[in-house]
Amino acid sequence: MPDLPLGDLLELDRRHVWHPYGPMPGRQEPLVVESASGVRLRLADGSGELIDGMSSWWSAIHGYNHPVLNEAVRGQLGRMSHVMFGGLTHEPAVALAKRLVDISPEGLEHVFLTDSGSVSVEVAVKMCLQHWRSLGRPEKRRMLTWRGGYHGDTWQPMSVCDPKGGMHELWQGALPVQVFADAPPAAYEEAYADHLRELIERHAGELAAVIVEPVVQGAGGMRFHSPAYLRVLREACDAHDVLLVFDEIATGFGRTGALFAADHAGVTPDVMCVGKAMTGGYLTMAATLCTSRVADGISRGEVPVLAHGPTFMGNPLAAAVAGASIDLLLGQDWPTEVKRIETGLREGLAEAEALPGVREVRVLGAIGVVQLEHPVDMEAATRAAVREGVWLRPFRDLIYTMPPFITGDDDVAQVARAVCAAAREG
Ligand SMILES: *Cc1c(COP(=O)(O)O)cnc(C)c1O
């Protein structure tokens, strides 16, 4: 069906195709994208192009149709698009794992490649629980996290998402019951640090690990917090025999101004998840990294293996483009680019602070957030942004952007104008 008329395509989409967090049949009319290049999405209805203020959910950091990434996929495609990873291995996966070990916080040595962020969190939880099980402490099987988090949509990740107002409230009672701390305040407060220490100490006997998104909580509310809390977590976890997991799926690869958000605090977690921007937004792949301590624990068990092995584990196409994307990032002065976008967003979003109905404007790295005092009128906000030539996807009371790192100054200004327009009309 190469030339499906637009009306038919939309009708088939509505009737048969599930979209993220959507009902069936669909109620909202999605925009049909025909192609994408640089920072722009070209719409199929002939209405022109939109700047992508979302980087396709944090992932397309180098923009679309990038010649270097295209070539990485094309080159790999000519050799093999996939082979199983059980009993076989290949250069793209090994080279990617080596890069991840080299650039991630010191001490993370081992890499488990998965096909999505949610699965990388499942693997992280499995690693932590199995570590304690192997050491004869199976009662250490709960996770602790702070409220306001988001870790994905499969079962274990849902159990550590914010239990209130998030997308997974429906599942309370069915999910594993985890331990929740209050949401982290933006600035460092000793009383909150004590709250974390106290909870970890009180539950240490049953805790396998603490899992958090470092510095920026993404889809759970776009909140920022002091990196100093990461050091508090590290110390408390060490003191009470609890592992520490950082979910860097949204924050990794430069988004917050550091290569990994953990770098803001100089902390190494025991386990770290990366995804989203890892492949430059080209293909679906994520990874779970761990220290030798975690791997050794698992190896000492009665079942000395990690019993996980996705069919498409280590997919060569995804691994090749991930390697190319990381090289592309490190081969440029990315901190300056992210800083430039941060400055542009700060300037452009300043006017939103004075708008009626705006609670707070916050910017960190290449992330800009306008939080309203009321739930966003999604349709009105989206329409306002599209009228300004920008694609945004607000949720709850939040209008936000994390544009590709290649977004030029004029385009950053346009994105900021669209965020302000969406805040005014949404
Ligand atoms: C997006 C996200 C996930 C889930 O990743 P998927 O690839 O969508 O499964 C997990 N954790 C964080 C912090 C995320 O932003």
Side-chain angles (χ1 to χ4, degrees), residues 116-118 150-152 213 247 249-250 276:
S116 78
S118 297
Y150 175 79
H151 297 282
E213 293 158 278
D247 177 348
I249 293 168
K276 289 199 162 99

Side-chain angles (χ1 to χ4, degrees), residues 163-231:
K164 287 249 160 53
M167 293 173 280
H168 304 316
E169 216 174 325
L170 172 69
W171 293 104
Q172 284 205 48
L175 291 171
V177 180
Q178 313 292 16
V179 181
F180 286 92
D182 297 339
Y188 185 80
E189 294 173 17
E190 199 56 39
Y192 181 76
D194 285 341
H195 167 62
L196 291 175
R197 293 182 187 111
E198 192 274 323
L199 264 188
I200 292 169
E201 180 174 3
R202 173 146 46 103
H203 292 277
E206 56 176 351
L207 282 182
V210 171
I211 181 169
V212 296
E213 293 158 278
V215 184
V216 175
Q217 294 179 298
M222 301 299 298
R223 303 170 78 256
F224 308 154
H225 58 259
S226 165
Y229 292 133
L230 305 177
R231 288 192 287 272

Side-chain angles (χ1 to χ4, degrees), residues 129-145:
L129 266 64
Q130 192 174 337
H131 171 85
W132 294 117
R133 208 158 269 252
S134 296
L135 297 180
R137 301 187 67 184
E139 71 284 1
K140 285 169 77 67
R141 60 189 164 87
R142 288 180 84 189
M143 303 294 288
L144 183 150
T145 187

Side-chain angles (χ1 to χ4, degrees), residues 182-343:
D182 297 339
Y188 185 80
E189 294 173 17
E190 199 56 39
Y192 181 76
D194 285 341
H195 167 62
L196 291 175
R197 293 182 187 111
E198 192 274 323
L199 264 188
I200 292 169
E201 180 174 3
R202 173 146 46 103
H203 292 277
E206 56 176 351
L207 282 182
V210 171
I211 181 169
V212 296
E213 293 158 278
V215 184
V216 175
Q217 294 179 298
M222 301 299 298
R223 303 170 78 256
F224 308 154
H225 58 259
S226 165
Y229 292 133
L230 305 177
R231 288 192 287 272
V232 171
L233 290 175
R234 183 68 276 176
E235 282 165 22
C237 285
D238 287 345
H240 299 289
D241 252 0
V242 174
L243 297 172
L244 180 59
V245 182
F246 284 168
D247 177 348
E248 293 249 14
I249 293 168
T251 50
F253 305 103
R255 181 55 69 179
T256 69
L259 193 54
F260 296 98
D263 299 342
H264 288 293
V267 165
T268 297
D270 301 291
V271 178
M272 184 169 103
C273 300
V274 292
K276 289 199 162 99
M278 188 173 83
T279 63
Y282 264 57
L283 283 159
T284 174
M285 182 178 261
T288 312
L289 283 74
C290 76
T291 60
S292 293
R293 173 193 171 198
V294 174
D296 288 349
I298 291 170
S299 304
R300 259 182 268 149
E302 210 171 301
V303 179
V305 298
L306 186 67
H308 212 100
T311 306
F312 291 101
M313 186 167 179
N315 177 258
L317 280 179
V321 75
S325 175
I326 293 170
D327 288 350
L328 196 55
L329 181 67
L330 300 181
Q332 58 178 298
D333 184 6
W334 63 267
T336 299
E337 294 307 307
V338 171
K339 197 80 198 157
R340 176 182 63 74
I341 292 172
E342 177 171 346
T343 304

